[in-house]
């Protein structure tokens, strides 16, 4: 007992934090008219909130699904409509909507509370948490900025070559995005890129007559390069985007007896695909935004001496930075060597398959809280205060995706909905793969890529079963196609980050994104039945 007194820590927190402002409403309640009361109740946001349960009720009470016992499937569809209504309208904060399966699934008889809660913490979620903590350490010690400046220095040759400099910026962004979420990579790299662009006479306050057209074009190329390189780079690894993690989680959920998709296995397929797309992206940007003579126009403003001065301001690499890089490098090596080939099993065989990618991700992240930072006695590389920026919204969204996938499968809804795509079963695979990719790529322009994957992949699994082909032959094109949100600013948060810089317009995204989307679909249609069959062993059904 503390005798009614607050603990010291709580008291200090109370003193540091501001009290919530007290709102005084001097207007008597009775003086408001009925119309004023109704206007405060029937706001657009409140209507959007009511839209979710209303649509759910319509589906559950009025919709008829084919089959004998489809009550659970109908309830699952109603919950799905409810959640997507809230996600699309943002009537309720996205993380809160992502937690709604925890109460909706048990109440609608879809699954038990324990089963749905298990979806929110598994090896894939552990992989995300560990990689996010490492990403925060990289950001805290400015390692990403040092990396970007060093790579840009390499590509900033004399005389200045604009396409080569653009290649350096895009390649750095893609590399960073391989090891952390692509949105986080965009947020981290955009200030670095715009810092380079600030040297150019393209600020809003400058006179438009004084700015050479080549400068404005190069600015657009850099911003487009950062947002699209982050997406492309994220495709190559499991940690680069939530879609890849959702796909892996669904594979594990639907086919628990099959071998899980490892980090190295995905990399051997995803990296060649990402590399092909990256080359196409760079070529598109060079053709559209780097005309001949751009380097000569930019050279008075961009010089190696400027970049060296910024690098010198960071000082020599500290002990803490070296330790974070060592932990990060060790994690990548462990990810890549857990499962290598059938002949060379990797270190995972020592633990009889009990250790996963999430195991080493959390283990290496834990080292950051043990190794001293060499700056102040007793301080470690990381503490929990530095982890307050952990993107729990993404973690909860992934958990919701896994919960929805389980609910769609166990309720029988996947089988019912897949009948609507039965026409695909008679088509040859070479036509189905690009069709699936284009469907996903179209839907993802209007909703999140995670939501598109969560909805589409379970249906593709049922179609693959009916066609008696390996499910990954359809799952992978559907999931990767959901990442081709290249046309609209609202397609992904990365697009929003680039659009808010003021350097690009929707027409720029359309000109660059459309050929990139077509190229991605073509590459995926060729690589999946060839390289994908070899990497995933998907020659027959599961």
């Amino acid at each position: 007992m503390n005798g009614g007194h607050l603990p010291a820590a709580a008291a200090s927190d109370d003193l540091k934090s501001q009290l919530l402002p007290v709102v005084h409403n001097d207007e008597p309640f009775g003086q408001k008219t009925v119309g004023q009361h109704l206007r405060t109740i029937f706001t657009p946001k409140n209507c959007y909130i009511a839209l979710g349960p209303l649509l759910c009720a319509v589906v559950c009470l009025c919709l008829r699904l084919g089959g004998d016992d489809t009550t659970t499937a109908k309830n699952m569809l109603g919950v799905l409509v409810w959640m997507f209504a809230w996600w699309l309208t943002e009537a309720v904060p996205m993380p809160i909507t992502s937690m709604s399966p925890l109460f909706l699934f048990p109440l609608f008889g879809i699954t038990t509370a324990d089963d749905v809660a298990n979806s929110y913490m598994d090896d894939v979620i552990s992989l995300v948490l560990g990689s996010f903590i490492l990403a925060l350490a990289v950001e805290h010690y400015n390692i990403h900025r040092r990396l970007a400046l060093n790579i840009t220095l390499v590509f900033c040759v004399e005389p200045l070559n604009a396409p080569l400099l653009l290649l350096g910026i895009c390649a750095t962004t893609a590399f960073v995005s391989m090891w952390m979420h692509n949105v986080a990579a965009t947020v981290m790299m955009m200030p670095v890129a715009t810092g380079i662009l600030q040297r150019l006479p393209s600020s809003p306050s400058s006179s438009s007559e004084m700015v050479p057209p080549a400068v404005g074009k190069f600015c657009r190329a850099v911003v487009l390069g950062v947002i699209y390189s982050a997406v492309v780079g994220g495709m190559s690894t499991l940690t680069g985007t939530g879609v890849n993690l959702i796909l892996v989680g669904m594979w594990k959920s639907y086919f628990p007896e099959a071998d899980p998709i490892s980090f190295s296995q995905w990399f051997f397929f995803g990296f060649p695909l990402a590399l092909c797309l990256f080359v196409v992206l760079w070529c598109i940007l060079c053709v559209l935004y780097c005309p001949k003579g751009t380097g000569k126009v930019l050279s008075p403003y961009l010089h190696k001496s400027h970049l060296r001065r910024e690098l010198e301001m960071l000082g020599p690499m500290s002990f803490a930075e070296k330790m974070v890089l060592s932990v990060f490098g060790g994690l990548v090596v462990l990810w890549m060597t857990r499962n290598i080939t059938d002949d060379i099993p990797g270190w995972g065989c020592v633990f009889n398959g009990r250790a996963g990618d999430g195991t080493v991700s959390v283990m290496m992240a834990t080292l950051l809280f043990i190794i001293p930072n060499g700056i102040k006695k007793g301080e470690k590389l990381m503490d929990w205060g530095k982890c307050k920026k952990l993107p729990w919204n993404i973690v909860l969204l992934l958990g919701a995706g896994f919960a929805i996938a389980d609910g769609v499968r166990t309720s029988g809804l996947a089988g019912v909905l897949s009948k609507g795509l039965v026409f695909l079963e008679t088509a040859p695979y070479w036509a189905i793969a690009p069709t699936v990719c284009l469907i996903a790529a179209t839907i993802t322009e209007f909703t999140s890529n995670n939501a598109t994957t969560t909805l589409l992949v379970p249906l593709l699994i049922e179609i693959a079963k009916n066609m008696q082909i390996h499910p990954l032959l359809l799952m992978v094109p559907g999931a990767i196609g959901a990442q081709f949100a290249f046309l609209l600013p609202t397609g992904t948060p990365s697009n929003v980050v680039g659009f808010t810089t003021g350097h690009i317009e929707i027409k720029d995204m359309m000109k660059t994104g459309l050929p990139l989307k077509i190229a991605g679909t073509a590459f995926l249609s060729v690589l999946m039945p060839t390289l994908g069959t070899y990497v995933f062993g998907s020659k027959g059904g599961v």
Side-chain angles (χ1 to χ4, degrees):
M1 302 291 290
N2 54 21
H5 296 287
L6 288 170
S12 64
D13 284 344
D14 251 6
L15 291 172
K16 291 176 184 176
S17 59
Q18 294 286 337
L19 291 173
L20 289 173
V22 179
V23 178
H24 297 283
N25 187 5
D26 298 327
E27 184 180 357
F29 181 81
Q31 291 184 5
K32 283 189 175 181
T33 64
V34 175
Q36 289 175 322
H37 284 302
L38 290 177
R39 279 195 295 272
T40 59
I41 295 173
F42 293 103
T43 62
K45 191 159 190 175
N46 286 342
C47 292
Y48 291 146
I49 291 173
L51 181 65
L54 181 63
L55 291 175
C56 177
V58 170
V59 169
C60 293
L61 297 176
C62 303
L63 190 66
R64 291 180 177 273
L65 298 178
D68 298 329
D69 186 15
T70 58
T71 303
T72 308
K74 191 161 56 174
N75 289 348
M76 180 64 215
L77 182 60
V79 169
L80 203 58
V81 170
W82 182 338
M83 291 183 64
F84 271 80
W86 277 4
W87 266 334
L88 291 173
T89 62
E90 297 184 359
V92 177
M94 186 268 287
I96 304 302
T97 304
S98 299
M99 289 194 294
S100 59
L102 291 168
F103 67 89
L104 289 177
F105 282 20
L107 294 180
F108 279 80
I110 296 165
T111 187
T112 65
D114 284 338
D115 287 341
V116 69
N118 287 336
S119 301
Y120 286 80
M121 180 52 71
D122 62 2
D123 187 63
V124 177
I125 303 293
S126 302
L127 172 69
V128 174
L129 285 173
S131 62
F132 276 157
I133 291 174
L134 275 161
L136 287 175
V138 168
E139 182 181 5
H140 177 73
Y141 291 104
N142 257 336
I143 296 173
H144 66 295
R145 182 168 179 79
R146 186 184 295 277
L147 174 68
L149 287 171
N150 275 297
I151 293 181
T152 307
L153 264 173
V154 172
F155 289 93
C156 192
V157 297
E158 296 177 1
L160 186 66
N161 186 322
L164 194 60
L165 178 58
L166 178 63
L167 177 64
I169 296 170
C170 294
T172 305
T173 305
F175 179 78
V176 170
S177 182
M178 288 169 62
W179 313 110
M180 62 183 63
H181 196 278
N182 52 19
V183 177
T186 306
V187 171
M188 287 169 59
M189 289 301 301
M190 193 59 75
V192 177
T194 52
I196 296 173
L197 299 183
Q198 282 172 2
R199 303 185 181 282
L200 305 176
S202 58
S203 63
S205 59
S206 60
S207 174
S208 58
E209 289 80 16
M210 301 296 293
V211 181
V215 172
K217 284 189 173 184
F218 184 75
C219 290
R220 292 199 288 274
V222 168
V223 173
L224 289 169
V226 169
I227 61 177
Y228 291 151
S229 296
V231 175
V232 171
M235 293 177 190
S236 58
T237 63
L238 290 183
T239 53
T241 175
V243 169
N244 296 349
L245 295 167
I246 290 174
L247 174 68
V248 171
M250 287 187 176
W251 172 256
K252 182 180 176 182
S253 173
Y254 275 81
F255 307 102
E257 302 86 6
D259 293 333
I261 301 173
S262 66
F263 187 95
S264 58
Q265 196 176 20
W266 182 268
F267 181 81
F268 290 140
F269 174 77
F271 182 74
L273 173 65
L275 185 61
C276 294
L277 262 182
F278 180 82
V279 172
V280 171
L281 169 64
W282 179 64
C283 291
I284 292 171
L285 292 176
C286 289
V287 170
L288 294 179
Y289 300 106
C290 291
K292 191 175 180 180
T294 301
K296 184 182 286 188
V297 175
L298 298 178
S299 56
Y301 311 104
L302 292 176
H303 198 269
K304 273 195 170 185
S305 59
H306 301 150
L307 299 172
R308 286 197 186 99
R309 188 158 51 248
E310 287 194 27
L311 196 57
E312 287 170 2
M313 288 173 62
L314 292 176
M317 186 172 282
S318 64
F319 172 80
E321 290 177 70
K322 294 175 182 176
M323 286 296 100
V324 171
L325 277 178
S326 299
V327 172
F328 187 79
L331 175 60
V332 173
V333 170
L334 289 172
W335 273 340
M336 298 298 294
T337 57
R338 183 172 70 87
N339 289 317
I340 303 174
T341 64
D342 293 335
D343 299 325
I344 309 173
W347 61 263
C349 67
V350 177
F351 302 95
N352 296 322
R354 287 189 292 267
D357 291 325
T359 307
V360 292
S361 183
V362 173
M363 181 184 74
M364 299 303 280
T366 303
L367 289 179
L368 298 175
F369 297 84
I370 298 173
I371 301 173
N373 62 13
I375 299 173
K376 189 175 179 181
K377 188 176 180 180
E379 279 191 358
K380 310 301 180 186
L381 291 172
M382 288 289 283
D383 56 57
W384 190 246
K386 297 185 182 79
C387 294
K388 289 180 180 178
K389 290 164 62 179
L390 272 173
W392 292 108
N393 57 330
I394 295 176
V395 175
L396 291 172
L397 181 62
L398 287 173
F402 297 154
I404 288 172
D406 282 339
V408 169
R409 174 176 56 85
T410 57
S411 67
L413 179 60
V416 174
L417 294 181
S418 64
K419 293 176 182 176
L421 298 174
V422 70
F423 68 94
L424 291 174
E425 297 176 11
T426 58
Y429 175 75
W430 62 264
I432 295 177
T435 302
V436 166
C437 187
L438 286 174
I439 290 173
T442 303
I443 296 174
T444 195
E445 295 291 350
F446 305 100
T447 183
S448 74
N449 48 21
N450 291 334
T452 302
T453 308
T454 302
L455 176 65
L456 196 58
V457 169
L459 306 185
L460 297 176
I461 291 174
E462 293 300 318
I463 293 172
K465 287 179 179 178
N466 293 335
M467 294 178 66
Q468 296 184 346
I469 63 173
H470 198 286
L472 286 176
L473 290 173
L474 295 184
M475 292 171 68
V476 172
I480 293 183
Q483 300 175 55
F484 293 163
F486 299 139
L487 301 182
L488 299 175
T490 55
T492 66
S494 298
N495 293 0
V496 175
V497 171
F499 198 74
T500 53
T501 62
H503 287 291
I504 60 174
E505 300 175 359
I506 293 180
K507 63 180 181 181
D508 297 312
M509 298 187 68
M510 291 280 189
K511 283 196 299 185
T512 308
L514 186 58
L516 190 60
K517 190 188 285 269
I518 294 171
T521 303
F523 284 134
L524 192 57
S525 302
V526 173
L527 287 176
M528 190 59 220
T530 52
L531 179 64
T533 300
Y534 173 75
V535 171
F536 299 117
S538 49
K539 291 180 180 178
V542 174

